[in-house]
Amino acid sequence: MHASVKSIGKRLIPLRVRVWVANYLARRLTLKPIAPRQCPICDFQGWFDRFGRPPRLDALCPRCGSLERHRLLFLAMTRGAVTEGIDEATDPVLHFAAEPQLERIFRARFGNYKTADLFEKADLKINMEDMDLPDGKFRLIIANHVLEHVDDFKASSEIARILSDDGILVAMVPIVEGWETSYENPEITDETGRWLHFGQGDHVRYYGRDFSSRIERGGLKLKHEITAEGKDVVTYGLVRGEKVFVFGKK
């Protein structure tokens, strides 16, 4: 009897409706937070929200809006893994596409801090691939999920030019380190295609483990990496294995 009712239901209910119901129930049952987390940026403790496409659990801090990459970068910066040797009161700092969650903190922390963006409101309106800035001006440059939007050879060459001799670039990007080479396809130019191929509608590549060598072509050299691992992943809701890359001048 049960099998017979089930068979009738399949014939009467369109496939697209059955799929929608199955997906809806799956979301309600599985897309729930795993455990309370802590945001090191705003000190929120509790349940994080899901975020992304496809959604990532425990990704978004409901108080300050930070994502995993913001929290990892913040931890790296505040623990001294990045800023050792930098005079925070006077050394010039340039932050591309500054995230509001971090801009507020970095602006208070660094005495000579500037933001840069070509399209959004910022202290400096500049094209990362062709910057109207003097050589050797900045001691620290921050580019968190920016290089995947641009010609990274032009951008890294310009960054190397405007960095001081002892300057550093701090960068994060979407990366699959299981891939030997980064994935690009110049024929993919529409937003839907870029979502499908590169994970976001305004990305032009998805990086592989050749990321550092690509950036080094412009005149920089990888100094070290900070990796999300262990207890930090659990406590702060980080992506396992995500990295902060720190480059210096050759």
Side-chain angles (χ1 to χ4, degrees), residues 159-175:
I159 289 171
R161 181 183 65 78
I162 67 171
L163 271 178
S164 61
D165 289 340
D166 58 352
I168 59 172
L169 164 67
V170 179
M172 295 178 68
V173 294
I175 187 169

Side-chain angles (χ1 to χ4, degrees), residues 41-242:
I41 299 175
C42 70
D43 295 324
F44 172 82
Q45 296 187 50
W47 302 100
F48 282 7
D49 295 326
R50 61 181 181 266
F51 186 87
R53 185 182 179 191
R56 305 185 303 278
L57 298 182
D58 297 6
L60 177 71
C61 172
R63 178 182 292 170
C64 71
S66 70
L67 297 172
E68 305 96 328
R69 63 179 181 266
H70 305 136
R71 297 190 290 273
L72 178 58
L73 179 59
F74 178 85
L75 290 169
M77 297 283 283
T78 55
R79 289 173 173 174
V82 172
T83 58
E84 183 179 358
I86 292 178
D87 186 331
E88 296 186 5
T90 61
D91 282 342
V93 177
L94 184 63
H95 188 174
F96 281 98
E99 307 90 333
Q101 304 90 337
L102 298 176
E103 179 184 349
R104 173 180 56 83
I105 294 171
F106 291 167
R107 198 177 287 281
R109 176 178 176 180
F110 298 109
N112 193 0
Y113 171 88
K114 300 290 184 184
T115 60
D117 204 298
L118 184 59
F119 304 108
E120 303 295 333
K121 183 179 178 181
D123 297 321
L124 303 174
K125 186 173 183 177
I126 53 177
N127 181 353
M128 195 182 201
E129 299 174 3
D130 184 16
M131 293 186 265
D132 185 18
L133 293 170
D135 295 355
K137 180 175 177 60
F138 292 96
R139 179 73 169 77
L140 169 63
I141 293 177
I142 303 167
N144 189 6
H145 281 243
V146 179
L147 292 165
E148 66 273 14
H149 295 261
V150 300
D151 183 318
D152 55 3
F153 175 67
K154 290 181 179 178
S156 59
S157 299
E158 281 290 273
I159 289 171
R161 181 183 65 78
I162 67 171
L163 271 178
S164 61
D165 289 340
D166 58 352
I168 59 172
L169 164 67
V170 179
M172 295 178 68
V173 294
I175 187 169
V176 179
E177 293 196 282
W179 294 352
E180 183 176 353
T181 58
S182 300
Y183 172 54
E184 295 179 292
N185 186 338
E187 295 181 359
I188 307 299
T189 58
D190 64 289
E191 183 177 356
T192 300
R194 286 178 171 175
W195 269 108
L196 180 62
H197 287 259
F198 310 128
Q200 191 165 305
D202 55 356
H203 288 185
V204 297
R205 73 184 61 82
Y206 215 115
Y207 282 104
R209 62 177 177 269
D210 62 340
F211 166 66
S212 58
S213 63
R214 290 177 66 102
I215 302 308
E216 288 178 339
R217 296 177 305 168
L220 299 169
K221 185 174 181 62
L222 183 66
K223 298 180 65 171
H224 62 275
E225 305 168 354
I226 301 103
T227 305
E229 57 188 359
K231 189 176 180 181
D232 279 350
V233 170
V234 177
T235 301
Y236 302 114
L238 307 179
V239 174
R240 295 170 179 83
E242 189 168 28

